[in-house]
Amino acid sequence: MSELDDNQAQRDAIAVDRTKGDFKYEENYAFDAGIGLSAKVVDYISNVKGEDAWINEFRQKALKIFTDLPMPTHWATEDLKNIKFDEIRYYLSKGQKASRTWEEVPDDVKETFERLGIPEAERKFLAGVEAQFDSEAVYSRMKDEMSKLGVIFCGPTEGLRDHPEIFRKWFGKVIPAGDNKFAALNSAVFSGGSFIYIPKGVKVAQPLQAYFRINAENFGQFERTLIIADEGSEVTYMEGCTAPKFETATLHSAVVELVALKGAKIQYITVQNWSANVFNLVTKRGVAEEDAEVRWIDCNIGSRLTMKYPGVVLRGKRARGEVLSIALANDGQHQDTGAKMIHAADETSSNIIAKSISVGAGRSTYRGLVHIPKTLRNCKNNTECDALLINEHSRTDTYPAISVRGQKNSVQHEASVSKVSAEQIFYMMQRGLTEGEAMSLAVNGFVNDLVKEFPMEYSVELKRLIELQMEGSVG
Amino acid sequence: MPDSLVIKNLNASIGDRAILKDFSLTVPKGEVHAIMGPNGTGKSTLAKVLAGHPDYSVQSGEAFIDGEQIIGQEPDAIARAGLFLAFQYPSEIPGVTIANFIRAALVARQAKGAPFDAKAYYAELYAKMDTLKMDRKFTSRFVNEGFSGGEKKRCEILQLMMLKPKYAVLDETDSGLDIDALRIVSEGVNRLRGPDMGFLVITHYQRLLEYIVPDRVHIMYDGRIVHSGDKDLAIELEAKGYDWVKKDLASA
């Protein structure tokens, strides 16, 4: 039997399961890998997707790494122990191809995204949109002029199947499966996410956008994104994430790899607003070749625990890396975020600006890594971390690790902690603002200079999210 | 009284220290009343208690804005009911521009979701800034951050002009002002004087009252008003000094 036939047979087999699923699950998923993680679950995902053997092998190897690696509680929070991997559902999908029009998207899913304002944003200012519901994209469309320029914007399943010559070269190379326990988990069960290729010299003026939505309880979302910007090209990619409030913990563990070839520019913007029981454990890293630039703009709002340290490997001369990060930790939340800058060529420069806000009993942690080996010359790093505390129960910690050696390399590091005082709140309330409005104004003021770097539509969204958080934090 | 700021037998304390002692005063709308008194007599406490500051507790008494009880209300509700306090030491709000701050205060007074006329807002803001001789660039500076004493007070008066309360309490607005700034700030207040606004001007010195001529002057001592009179009382007080008040009280 040829591979193609084999895949077809598997699909047919699954098609039988589909009817069972329809009866069994209220959420009406056609494909459900069941509860818990095993080699069988990994095979199930590969089969549903009709993947090549090498991908299944990649997945199975990653699963073994995941199982073997200890939980990194020796440096990170003990809360990681509360993730119950045996109770999570690793793959859920409605089993249809991503639609190219919103009309074809199932009504309940469409309504979800309409509430989130995605179709409207697409019409207004986006070059392409992908909307993922649990494990798979339900909608994917790029403006026609982008396709004509040779831009590829699809999911990893389609990318690895239809464009292996482009994606296989870099897939799992920037972040290997063994990078960390959660990168291994993602490598084993990844589904959904974006694969993007921007051809040489193509500058995509409008952003490409992906929206990730967790809909099912006890679910793990493991999207995988790889963006390759070929020489001299430019792209801005934005992702938004939400989930409804569930009683039980949900896991989101993504891997994002960026490759900026010579002279290319990639800007990656995240605005996540996870509900308060999502474990959000994400690995994000970019490689910048000669004269290339990788810029992460990362806004972490919500979640129970976020651990995320976007990084840039500055591999070519004069490459530039930047991380601008905003984290808001409300009551019962822990934002453990930061940045990594690995300088690996002369004259490379990096910039990290991290701002965290801790509200109520919220906790925010900054972890930074800046590495400039002694063989390099004329490298620069600037790091600023500012923390804002809204009341005395909140907590902030800073763990900067900076290793700089060699001649003519320079590093600047500044850190500050400030507090919104009762007098400031009283002053604003005396002008007629409610306590919540006063706090959100103070928080918006604190992040103001960073938010200016955002595309307008996103700065408005961020401001609104901060307002919602602060309103909710006032008793 | 419907058209007045009425304070009746107010007793207030901070911690276990009583500061306002049976304080009573009525400021009819359209009038400017000055409160003078030595340091530590409770003038600033009065301003903060009226504005609902959480550090002070009110044991008894009442205060009304045009008949609406404000004691026990949240500071923002009191502000929206029509009381404005020009602070002696206004807070800095880093990252928030003056334009955005005043705009947020105005939006807080609108019905939820009502559209905001940004064009009209800026036109009015610029006009008011012109009268206070403030540079237009001022709008993009962060509220009170790095301001001189005079700039802070001008900024308070700008907010007062934009928010148009029913009653304004000016707490030691003259402190930290040089003579030019004092004149500009006073002119701003004088422009606002009229049948729709009442003023309670708290000051330690008579100097301010040469520019903002009061309808009534009250002398406060030990948490209550001990003398009331017309503008000449301020001049008499300046001439005789606060010792006169103390002796007068002791002999009474």
Side-chain angles (χ1 to χ4, degrees):
Chain A
M1 212 184 332
S2 77
E3 198 175 280
L4 200 82
D5 291 338
D6 198 25
N7 287 340
Q8 191 52 53
Q10 280 160 356
R11 272 187 224 119
D12 289 342
I14 291 154
V16 178
D17 285 340
R18 182 175 183 152
T19 54
K20 281 185 196 160
D22 282 348
F23 288 112
K24 200 172 171 187
Y25 294 104
E26 220 182 292
E27 292 104 332
N28 201 20
Y29 291 100
F31 299 107
D32 182 345
I35 293 165
L37 184 59
S38 65
K40 266 190 182 168
V41 165
V42 169
D43 282 339
Y44 181 90
I45 295 169
S46 275
N47 288 345
V48 169
K49 292 173 174 294
E51 286 175 344
D52 284 351
W54 75 269
I55 304 173
N56 182 258
E57 238 167 75
F58 175 89
R59 289 181 182 275
Q60 293 293 359
K61 261 189 215 161
L63 178 65
K64 182 150 189 342
I65 297 169
F66 169 74
T67 314
D68 291 347
L69 280 175
M71 197 59 102
T73 44
H74 61 289
W75 62 273
T77 166
E78 295 279 319
D79 195 23
L80 288 172
K81 286 184 182 159
N82 295 315
I83 304 173
K84 298 191 172 66
F85 292 101
D86 295 340
E87 292 175 10
I88 289 171
R89 294 193 277 177
Y90 289 84
Y91 184 86
L92 287 174
S93 93
K94 301 224 174 205
Q96 60 163 58
K97 275 180 66 182
S99 310
R100 272 178 61 80
T101 65
W102 282 106
E103 285 69 40
E104 294 165 32
V105 174
D107 283 346
D108 51 339
V109 177
K110 188 167 65 187
E111 201 175 293
T112 303
F113 285 108
E114 263 165 11
R115 277 180 166 192
L116 295 165
I118 312 304
E120 199 194 338
E122 179 190 8
R123 280 193 295 274
K124 279 187 185 158
F125 76 107
L126 299 170
V129 167
E130 186 182 66
Q132 180 168 337
F133 198 75
D134 293 329
S135 293
E136 296 286 4
V138 290
Y139 175 83
S140 177
R141 182 169 168 77
M142 187 169 56
K143 288 189 175 149
D144 292 338
E145 60 263 36
M146 293 295 113
S147 322
K148 280 181 200 147
L149 290 168
V151 174
I152 299 169
F153 181 26
C154 60
T157 305
E158 296 74 28
L160 291 170
R161 186 187 61 210
D162 303 338
H163 311 281
E165 74 289 353
I166 297 172
F167 291 116
R168 197 173 169 175
K169 184 177 169 193
W170 291 103
F171 178 75
K173 298 300 189 323
V174 183
I175 301 169
D179 189 81
N180 64 72
K181 191 169 174 76
F182 293 94
L185 177 62
N186 176 283
S187 299
V189 295
F190 72 89
S191 181
S194 304
F195 266 33
I196 294 173
Y197 171 75
I198 313 294
K200 273 184 195 173
V202 171
K203 292 179 179 158
V204 184
Q206 289 182 305
L208 298 171
Q209 153 112 32
Y211 217 94
F212 299 97
R213 171 78 177 174
I214 293 180
N215 192 62
E217 193 151 7
N218 286 329
F219 175 68
Q221 191 173 52
F222 306 97
E223 87 269 11
R224 179 127 198 156
T225 291
L226 171 58
I227 300 176
I228 298 161
D230 213 328
E231 292 181 11
S233 68
E234 289 179 19
V235 63
T236 294
Y237 177 87
M238 313 201 291
E239 58 171 1
C241 324
T242 61
K245 290 192 170 90
F246 293 125
E247 294 302 312
T248 53
T250 302
L251 175 61
H252 175 254
S253 191
V255 164
V256 178
E257 299 173 288
L258 308 183
V259 179
L261 297 175
K262 192 174 169 182
K265 282 186 185 172
I266 301 176
Q267 177 165 246
Y268 193 107
I269 303 171
T270 304
V271 178
Q272 66 160 57
N273 181 31
W274 292 118
S275 55
N277 43 22
V278 173
F279 283 95
N280 182 47
L281 310 164
V282 172
T283 311
K284 289 182 165 172
R285 194 172 304 147
V287 166
E289 299 287 0
E290 199 173 302
D291 294 309
E293 184 180 300
V294 170
R295 190 178 202 220
W296 299 99
I297 296 180
D298 206 43
C299 305
N300 299 297
I301 294 173
S303 84
R304 167 173 171 170
L305 170 68
T306 288
M307 291 176 66
K308 195 201 296 177
Y309 323 96
V312 185
V313 180
L314 301 151
R315 212 162 71 159
K317 255 193 174 180
R318 295 175 298 278
R320 293 177 306 279
E322 187 163 45
V323 173
L324 306 178
S325 143
I326 293 172
L328 195 156
N330 220 322
D331 261 344
Q333 299 178 348
H334 185 180
Q335 302 283 4
D336 197 319
T337 58
K340 293 180 182 179
M341 290 294 174
I342 312 298
H343 290 251
D346 289 344
E347 296 169 54
T348 48
S349 58
S350 58
N351 186 34
I352 300 168
I353 303 178
K355 295 202 181 227
S356 69
I357 301 118
S358 309
V359 186
R363 180 177 171 194
S364 59
T365 305
Y366 170 81
R367 284 178 215 274
L369 173 69
V370 176
H371 179 69
I372 305 177
K374 70 174 175 187
T375 48
L376 300 185
R377 294 168 69 88
N378 299 324
C379 297
K380 271 187 234 157
N381 165 263
N382 176 58
T383 301
E384 288 174 43
C385 359
D386 300 317
L388 184 71
L389 302 175
I390 303 281
N391 66 29
E392 56 261 45
H393 305 296
S394 35
R395 173 173 169 186
T396 183
D397 308 285
T398 301
Y399 305 102
I402 299 174
S403 110
V404 178
R405 302 171 68 193
Q407 303 285 310
K408 297 190 176 172
N409 295 319
S410 76
V411 179
Q412 250 186 49
H413 182 260
E414 279 176 48
S416 77
V417 178
S418 50
K419 215 171 168 175
V420 177
S421 70
E423 280 309 308
Q424 280 172 312
I425 296 293
F426 176 67
Y427 182 66
M428 289 185 268
M429 289 178 79
Q430 212 301 305
R431 297 306 182 245
L433 305 182
T434 63
E435 191 180 359
E437 287 165 350
M439 289 203 290
S440 71
L441 194 65
V443 169
N444 274 303
F446 173 71
V447 299
N448 181 43
D449 50 342
L450 268 193
V451 174
K452 276 189 201 145
E453 301 286 331
F454 291 28
M456 229 273 281
E457 290 75 6
Y458 264 60
S459 56
V460 170
E461 186 183 344
L462 183 69
K463 192 168 167 257
R464 201 176 52 83
L465 285 175
I466 290 173
E467 270 159 22
L468 281 173
Q469 286 286 322
M470 302 317 290
E471 289 292 337
S473 74
V474 179
Chain B
M1 269 183 275
D3 273 338
S4 300
L5 168 64
V6 178
I7 305 161
K8 267 193 203 161
N9 305 105
L10 201 55
N11 286 281
S13 61
I14 186 160
D16 49 12
R17 195 155 60 92
I19 300 183
L20 296 185
K21 298 168 184 171
D22 252 358
F23 185 97
S24 295
L25 175 69
T26 295
V27 181
K29 202 175 270 178
E31 292 188 10
V32 173
H33 286 219
I35 291 188
M36 301 182 70
N39 288 329
T41 205
K43 301 192 298 294
S44 285
T45 295
L46 173 67
K48 289 191 172 154
V49 168
L50 288 177
H53 196 291
D55 285 356
Y56 299 87
S57 51
V58 173
Q59 280 74 43
S60 62
E62 299 167 303
F64 300 91
I65 286 179
D66 296 351
E68 186 182 347
Q69 170 78 263
I70 56 169
I71 297 299
Q73 290 206 52
E74 290 296 314
D76 56 315
I78 297 170
R80 292 195 301 270
L83 186 94
F84 180 94
L85 170 60
F87 284 66
Q88 185 177 4
Y89 304 110
S91 292
E92 294 179 2
I93 313 171
V96 178
T97 64
I98 289 177
N100 281 342
F101 184 52
I102 298 176
R103 182 187 175 132
L106 285 168
V107 169
R109 285 162 172 75
Q110 290 186 339
K112 262 232 175 322
F116 184 81
D117 186 345
K119 210 178 147 192
Y121 164 66
Y122 275 99
E124 188 185 352
L125 184 66
Y126 288 147
K128 302 267 153 82
M129 288 174 76
D130 289 346
T131 68
L132 290 169
K133 298 191 169 56
M134 294 167 91
D135 194 297
R136 297 264 167 106
K137 281 184 214 136
F138 217 79
T139 52
S140 56
R141 286 182 63 184
F142 300 144
V143 177
N144 294 316
E145 201 177 56
F147 284 20
S148 70
E151 285 172 333
K152 281 183 186 169
K153 297 300 165 71
R154 261 189 259 187
C155 183
E156 292 293 286
I157 302 304
L158 176 66
Q159 294 172 47
L160 168 61
M161 290 173 128
M162 292 298 292
L163 299 180
K164 302 178 195 76
K166 292 174 182 155
Y167 298 93
V169 179
L170 312 186
D171 188 9
E172 307 263 3
T173 293
D174 50 333
S175 70
L177 290 189
D178 62 29
I179 197 79
D180 289 334
L182 187 66
R183 193 175 290 135
I184 292 164
V185 163
S186 305
E187 270 171 26
V189 172
N190 287 331
R191 273 169 193 266
L192 287 172
R193 287 178 80 156
D196 298 328
M197 209 184 285
F199 288 86
L200 189 57
V201 179
I202 294 170
T203 181
H204 189 71
Y205 299 105
Q206 189 260 342
R207 190 178 67 151
L208 177 69
L209 304 181
E210 287 172 16
Y211 297 94
I212 304 172
V213 180
D215 297 301
R216 299 285 293 165
V217 173
H218 308 278
I219 297 172
M220 188 169 174
Y221 184 70
D222 192 25
R224 66 179 79 93
I225 285 169
V226 293
H227 271 290
S228 295
D230 62 13
K231 61 181 170 27
D232 294 334
L233 181 61
I235 299 162
E236 190 183 353
L237 184 67
E238 186 83 354
K240 292 183 174 173
Y242 284 115
D243 282 347
W244 161 65
V245 178
K246 291 177 197 168
K247 275 181 210 152
D248 206 40
L249 265 181
S251 63

